[in-house]
């Protein structure tokens, strides 16, 4: 055997090192993030967390126990600038502060965010106080999330749902269905923006068409999370995915 010497380089991601914790059945968020996040000198590492195939308050709460271990599966020896937890409804059940603490038990990071804190930050940036809220999930799941938003100054007087509990089916809801539901909700009036909830829902390509149809900003779980992670590190999203992506 011939033994060679080698030299070392700096870690990838000179501009930013980001982490994302994704639910096991989620088929959408990683694809969306690849399209939104800048790639030059920015790295994005992804870990998965076990989660149930059906979404209820109990199954969302159960992820609390696995969050530190999921975070700990990120590459060791790196200092993460921001780590995102990719579950909107799970955040409302576990709590944003608890999620930040649990993530930091597993990985060193300056900042932790999730879709709920990200949505609140996006609404503040766009001066949004009332949203139309479209969810794929059963009413029980959405009630806790809407209450959390109301406590933080974001009301959701208009609400609609596909009333689906199974994650695999949520990931298959097509864009035409989302557009039809979103425009019907917005037609009820009295809102500043529309929010498409759930990281597993295919929303990225329908944001711009819905904005054009209703004349209001349209936000989604994946859009606000990617935007907030970028903002926390002083980055901007790539591509045009509606009003928020241009900030």
């Amino acid at each position: 055997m011939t033994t060679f010497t080698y030299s070392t380089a700096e870690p990838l991601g000179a501009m930013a090192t980001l982490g994302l914790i994704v639910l096991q059945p989620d088929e959408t968020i990683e694809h969306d993030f690849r399209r939104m996040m800048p790639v030059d000198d920015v790295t994005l590492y992804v870990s998965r967390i076990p989660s149930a195939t059906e979404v209820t308050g109990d199954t969302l709460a159960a992820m609390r126990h696995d969050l530190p271990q999921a975070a700990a599966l990120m590459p060791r020896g790196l200092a993460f600038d921001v780590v995102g937890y990719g579950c909107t409804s799970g955040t409302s059940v576990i709590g944003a502060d608890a999620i930040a603490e649990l993530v930091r038990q597993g990985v060193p990071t300056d900042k932790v965010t999730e879709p709920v804190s990200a949505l609140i930050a996006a609404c503040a940036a766009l001066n949004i106080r009332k949203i139309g809220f479209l969810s794929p999930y059963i009413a029980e799941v959405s009630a806790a999330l809407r209450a959390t938003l109301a406590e933080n100054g974001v009301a959701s007087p208009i609400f609609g749902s596909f009333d689906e509990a199974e994650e695999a089916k949520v990931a298959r809801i097509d864009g035409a269905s989302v557009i039809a539901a979103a425009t019907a909700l917005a037609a009820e009036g009295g809102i500043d923006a529309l929010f498409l909830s759930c990281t597993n829902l295919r929303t990225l390509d329908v944001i711009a068409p819905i904005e054009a149809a209703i004349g209001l900003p349209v936000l989604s779980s994946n859009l606000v999370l990617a935007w907030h992670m970028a903002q926390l590190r002083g980055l901007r999203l790539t591509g045009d995915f509606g009003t928020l992506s241009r900030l």
Side-chain angles (χ1 to χ4, degrees), residues 132-135 158-162 174-189 191 193-197 201 203 206-207 209-211 213-219:
F133 190 116
L134 178 61
S135 168
I158 298 173
F159 173 73
S161 171
F162 293 112
D174 66 12
S177 300
V178 176
I179 291 172
T183 52
L185 277 182
E188 297 184 32
I191 57 174
L194 193 68
F195 175 58
L196 312 175
S197 185
L201 191 64
T203 60
V206 301
I207 290 172
I210 297 171
E211 283 196 347
I214 69 175
L216 295 172
V218 176
L219 309 174

Side-chain angles (χ1 to χ4, degrees), residues 20-26 29 33 47 49-52 54-57 59-64 67 83-96 99 103 113-118 137 141 145 167 195 197-200 221-222 224-225 229:
L20 181 64
I21 299 171
V22 177
L23 272 58
Q24 184 176 353
D26 196 312
I29 189 170
F33 264 58
S47 177
I49 182 170
S51 58
E54 292 197 359
V55 178
T56 67
T59 61
L60 292 169
M63 283 187 285
R64 170 191 297 269
L67 257 174
V83 174
Y85 168 60
C87 186
T88 318
S89 300
T91 299
S92 68
V93 173
I94 300 171
I99 286 169
V103 168
T113 187
E114 16 61 32
V116 177
S117 296
Y137 295 130
V141 171
L145 176 52
E167 283 282 17
F195 175 58
S197 185
C198 179
T199 62
N200 205 13
S221 291
N222 290 349
V224 298
L225 181 57
M229 289 176 66

Side-chain angles (χ1 to χ4, degrees), residues 7 27 32 49 54 62 67 75 99 106-107 109 112 119 128-129 137 154 157 161 181 186 201 246:
S7 57
E27 302 176 25
D32 285 355
I49 182 170
E54 292 197 359
L67 257 174
I99 286 169
V107 63
T109 179
V112 178
L119 175 59
I128 292 167
R129 297 290 178 266
Y137 295 130
V154 181
S161 171
L201 191 64
R246 302 183 197 118

